[in-house]
């Protein structure tokens, strides 16, 4: 017997690269190219270092209350965590404790199977249809729960509320998690937040990493029924009661309070996305309809995805490439500033027009 025999073995999730070089065009991890709102910057610049000698508020009252007010829900319906990876991990551990398989799409956020394996949760991957949409009827089977991102990643495809409602109606007896990491780029009223009063088994997860330009601060939240949030808090407080640090709590609250800046940034990214899509299509790219801050793009045959990925990287342009399954002909390209996307288009013209 050796200590290693007792080690819990997992195949970890591999996040996108975070190169240090500031001169690269970094379009590989769906970060926001614009800075956090001025209010958040002010909080950070004026932060009282001395206050860090104290523990943060374990109830994260300020940020949870700001989010509750913003979304018109009660304080006890809001759970916050260190990025959605933390919130989702806690949700898996809390809500997916049954014996039946948890269902999620075959092409989706590749962290889901990792949490399932870590927590010994059986799971089943349900194939997306030919146009990469979820078929709600496929989720009409006995399960231990359901999770999917809406819009989905890495495809960028949005499922309308009626389809989400169908999935909820077919799964009233298990938890259904809708990971809305990219929902702010999907237009007004795209979220299923309005369905919350009807479904006490629905959990909606949101992040500050994309639309709020705060990936480095690691802030995300979930909204669900009070009972569901209570269950998640019990799990959270059974392994770490001070998850959110004071700096992020203050910066995150300032972000929620500046709605105009947030809306303006989101609009700029959506405009750039539409323009970039049109221009890349002119060069022969096939681009899935995106409701996110990235596009899933199939390059022309002359230089397919894997090769274009390598060539771009040599030029200091970073995309994300997934060699698995149906993702293999595509590149996932985060939408940067107009200037960055113009440089990407210039590079594409060099490759495909010569
Ligand atoms: N969900 C989805 C669908 C994502 O693409 C990501 C980004 N990697 C996350 C959750 C996690 O984001 P974060 O932990 O930064 O909130």
């Amino acid at each position: 017997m050796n200590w290693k025999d007792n080690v819990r073995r997992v195949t970890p999730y591999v996040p996108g690269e975070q190169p240090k070089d500031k001169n690269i065009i970094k379009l590989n991890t769906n970060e926001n190219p614009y800075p956090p709102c001025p209010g958040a910057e002010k909080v950070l610049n004026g932060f009282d270092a001395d206050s860090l000698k104290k523990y943060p508020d374990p109830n994260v009252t300020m940020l949870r209350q700001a989010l509750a007010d913003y979304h018109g829900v009660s304080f006890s319906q809001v759970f916050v965590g260190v990025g959605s990876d933390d919130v989702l991990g806690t949700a898996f551990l809390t809500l997916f404790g049954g014996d039946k398989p948890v269902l999620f799409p075959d092409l989706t956020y590749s962290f889901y199977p990792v949490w399932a394996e870590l927590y010994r949760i059986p799971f089943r991957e349900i194939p997306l249809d030919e146009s990469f949409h979820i078929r709600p009827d496929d989720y009409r089977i006995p399960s231990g729960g359901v999770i999917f991102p809406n819009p989905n990643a890495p495809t960028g495809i949005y499922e309308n509320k009626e389809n989400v409602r169908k999935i909820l109606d077919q799964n009233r007896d298990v938890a259904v998690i809708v990971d809305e990491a990219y929902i702010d780029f999907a237009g007004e009223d795209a979220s299923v937040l309005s369905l919350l009063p009807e479904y006490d088994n629905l959990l909606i997860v949101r992040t500050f990493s994309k639309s709020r330009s705060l990936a480095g601060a690691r802030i995300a939240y979930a909204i669900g029924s009070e009972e569901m949030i209570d269950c998640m808090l019990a799990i959270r407080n059974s392994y770490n009661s001070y998850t959110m640090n004071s700096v992020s709590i203050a910066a995150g609250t300032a972000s929620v309070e500046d709605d105009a800046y947030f809306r303006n940034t989101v609009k700029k990214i959506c405009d750039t996305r539409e323009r970039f899509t049109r221009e890349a299509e002119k060069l022969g790219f096939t681009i899935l309809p995106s409701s996110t801050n990235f596009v899933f793009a199939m390059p022309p045959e002359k230089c397919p995805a894997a090769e274009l990925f390598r060539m771009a990287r040599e030029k200091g342009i970073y995309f994300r490439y997934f060699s698995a399954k149906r993702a293999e002909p595509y590149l996932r390209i985060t939408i940067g500033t107009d200037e960055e996307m113009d440089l990407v288009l210039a590079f594409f013209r060099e490759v495909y027009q010569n």
Side-chain angles (χ1 to χ4, degrees):
M1 184 76 181
N2 180 293
W3 65 268
K4 292 175 199 161
D5 297 330
N6 291 330
V7 167
R8 191 182 286 265
R9 305 267 173 203
V10 282
T11 311
Y13 172 74
V14 184
E17 283 179 88
Q18 293 292 344
K20 291 276 172 296
D21 184 352
K22 285 226 157 50
N23 294 318
I24 64 158
I25 301 182
K26 191 174 174 307
L27 306 174
N28 66 333
T29 52
N30 297 341
E31 287 144 330
N32 195 311
Y34 300 106
C37 72
E41 199 183 325
K42 201 163 145 224
V43 163
L44 294 170
N45 288 338
F47 200 82
D48 173 19
D50 185 62
S51 71
L52 288 180
K53 69 189 179 203
K54 298 264 173 60
Y55 282 108
D57 169 14
N59 294 320
V60 202
T61 312
M62 188 165 73
L63 179 57
R64 283 172 73 199
Q65 191 60 58
L67 287 165
D69 294 345
Y70 186 77
H71 289 299
V73 297
S74 78
F75 176 80
S76 37
Q77 285 184 274
V78 183
F79 176 95
V80 291
V82 186
S84 8
D85 288 343
D86 178 44
V87 176
L88 289 164
T90 309
F92 267 68
L93 184 57
T94 311
L95 305 174
F96 295 159
D99 304 326
K100 296 200 187 103
V102 165
L103 313 179
F104 47 81
D106 62 340
L107 185 55
T108 194
Y109 188 29
S110 45
F111 219 138
Y112 298 162
V114 176
W115 284 308
E117 266 159 28
L118 173 63
Y119 296 131
R120 312 279 190 264
I121 300 165
F123 65 93
R124 186 164 150 194
E125 296 172 301
I126 310 285
L128 295 170
D129 73 11
E130 322 72 60
S131 55
F132 294 102
H133 273 281
I134 290 174
R135 276 181 295 238
D137 283 347
D138 292 352
Y139 290 76
R140 196 195 291 271
I141 49 178
S143 80
V146 176
I147 178 162
F148 56 92
N150 196 29
N152 196 5
T155 61
I157 286 185
Y158 172 71
E159 298 302 336
N160 67 37
K161 268 195 224 177
E162 281 323 298
N163 278 350
V164 179
R165 185 190 275 286
K166 269 189 209 157
I167 294 173
L168 281 161
D169 283 338
Q170 291 159 5
N171 290 278
R172 294 219 69 134
D173 51 351
V174 290
V176 176
I177 304 176
V178 182
D179 176 356
E180 291 194 337
Y182 301 100
I183 198 72
D184 295 321
F185 303 101
E188 289 288 323
D189 203 32
S191 168
V192 288
L193 265 171
S194 59
L195 301 185
L196 266 177
E198 294 174 63
Y199 299 92
D200 67 350
N201 58 328
L202 168 62
L203 188 78
I204 296 170
V205 179
R206 298 273 191 97
T207 180
F208 283 50
S209 299
K210 323 290 177 184
S211 52
R212 293 190 178 275
S213 310
L214 281 166
R218 310 304 297 129
I219 309 168
Y221 58 106
I223 301 184
S225 61
E226 290 186 11
E227 215 178 339
M228 195 177 254
I229 297 302
D230 254 358
C231 297
M232 284 184 56
L233 287 171
I235 294 289
R236 150 63 36 86
N237 291 325
S238 305
Y239 70 92
N240 182 2
S241 44
Y242 296 110
T243 40
M244 303 297 293
N245 71 72
S246 324
V247 183
S248 293
I249 294 173
T253 307
S255 168
V256 179
E257 285 166 356
D258 194 343
D259 206 39
Y261 180 89
F262 161 75
R263 283 173 184 273
N264 186 38
T265 314
V266 165
K267 182 175 184 315
K268 275 201 283 192
I269 291 170
C270 292
D271 289 349
T272 307
R273 176 186 74 204
E274 296 315 307
R275 190 179 66 86
F276 175 77
T277 300
R278 277 196 307 274
E279 293 300 317
E281 279 172 348
K282 281 186 205 156
L283 294 169
F285 279 74
T286 304
I287 300 196
L288 300 190
S290 169
S291 298
T292 60
N293 67 333
F294 60 86
V295 291
F296 207 42
M298 191 199 296
E301 263 171 45
K302 181 179 169 193
C303 179
E307 203 181 327
L308 187 64
F309 171 77
R310 275 191 297 276
M311 282 172 65
R313 202 168 176 283
E314 272 166 31
K315 292 246 173 197
I317 304 176
Y318 283 60
F319 303 134
R320 192 89 193 261
Y321 178 66
F322 301 94
S323 55
K325 298 181 208 155
R326 282 193 282 168
E328 184 244 344
Y330 293 83
L331 283 179
R332 196 193 67 188
I333 303 174
T334 304
I335 300 300
T337 60
D338 274 317
E339 295 72 32
E340 286 173 322
M341 300 324 280
D342 280 342
L343 289 168
V344 171
L345 288 166
F347 164 66
F348 285 171
R349 284 187 195 105
E350 260 175 53
V351 175
Y352 296 102
Q353 287 187 333
N354 287 324

